[in-house]
Amino acid sequence: MKISPAINLPKAEGFQTNSDKRLQQQQSQDDEPKYTLSEFLDAKAQQYSDEDASFAGQYENLEKVYDDLEQKINVLQEQISKLKQNPIQRHLQLESGTAEVVKPEQSKVQQSLNIQPEHTGVKRYRESQQQEQVDILLHQLNELQSKQAEVKQQMMDMVITELKKRGNEEYKL
């Protein structure tokens, strides 16, 4: 009977995968309260909304527009990041996703290595088309961000105006 030596492997303490890191970031973001304007202005807006129905309706409409613009901005940012992604990565992801349906008998390694050589002119044309798309999306993103800033400014103006109307002497503006 042979006795094999015990191998002590180092523990991977503090090792986190990308998905673990993303999950922790998401949880920390969920823990922190998300304010549209600021803690004080959001609290005042809530108070005024509870007390005044017309203020509540106007402010709620602005919040809906703000949230809608925020969702559109997130979608555009995702599209831009996908377009800016390395073309080989994009090709491999598309190839591996569609290859399972088309050719189930090939292994995943064979599917991912199935890259077709591309003519230099075609590659430059495709890259210029992608850059044009990115530029267009960036322009749209900037427009949406400026609209969102305008809506946020309107929301702040509403709360500040209401503060002045109610004569809050603690907060002279």
Side-chain angles (χ1 to χ4, degrees):
M1 174 165 101
K2 287 187 175 180
I3 300 176
S4 59
I7 300 173
N8 293 329
L9 297 175
K11 293 184 180 180
E13 292 179 21
F15 177 75
Q16 293 180 332
T17 62
N18 288 340
S19 60
D20 292 340
K21 290 177 186 176
R22 264 188 262 127
L23 221 142
Q24 281 183 347
Q25 288 174 352
Q26 200 173 36
Q27 287 174 348
S28 67
Q29 288 175 356
D30 293 342
D31 294 344
E32 298 171 7
K34 187 174 179 182
Y35 301 112
T36 305
L37 304 175
S38 70
E39 182 178 4
F40 171 74
L41 291 177
D42 284 354
K44 284 296 182 182
Q46 183 63 43
Q47 176 188 347
Y48 298 151
S49 293
D50 292 342
E51 296 170 0
D52 186 5
S54 66
F55 180 89
Q58 291 174 352
Y59 194 80
E60 187 176 310
N61 288 338
L62 286 174
E63 281 182 323
K64 287 179 184 177
V65 171
Y66 184 84
D67 291 339
D68 183 50
L69 288 171
E70 189 170 358
Q71 288 176 352
K72 288 179 182 179
I73 287 171
N74 290 337
V75 168
L76 278 177
Q77 287 173 336
E78 287 176 18
Q79 288 176 346
I80 290 169
S81 67
K82 285 181 185 177
L83 283 172
K84 285 184 174 181
Q85 193 176 31
N86 188 355
I88 292 175
Q89 276 184 320
R90 215 177 20 247
H91 181 72
L92 287 175
Q93 289 174 351
L94 291 174
E95 189 71 30
S96 64
T98 58
E100 289 178 20
V101 176
V102 178
K103 303 172 188 174
E105 65 275 355
Q106 288 183 342
S107 71
K108 288 189 180 234
V109 174
Q110 289 173 338
Q111 290 174 4
S112 64
L113 295 176
N114 223 2
I115 299 175
Q116 300 292 325
E118 191 172 39
H119 188 272
T120 309
V122 172
K123 183 177 180 182
R124 285 187 191 143
Y125 177 76
R126 183 179 40 79
E127 288 174 358
S128 68
Q129 292 295 323
Q130 285 178 348
Q131 186 58 45
E132 286 178 24
Q133 288 177 342
V134 168
D135 292 341
I136 290 169
L137 291 176
L138 283 172
H139 182 69
Q140 290 175 355
L141 179 65
N142 290 336
E143 287 178 359
L144 286 177
Q145 286 174 334
S146 65
K147 286 179 184 178
Q148 188 182 31
E150 289 173 13
V151 170
K152 193 172 189 174
Q153 183 63 45
Q154 289 176 353
M155 293 167 74
M156 288 175 56
D157 290 342
M158 275 185 71
V159 174
I160 291 171
T161 303
E162 196 66 25
L163 270 170
K164 288 179 181 178
K165 273 187 200 176
R166 297 186 182 215
N168 288 335
E169 295 173 9
E170 303 171 24
Y171 311 105
K172 292 241 177 190
L173 302 170

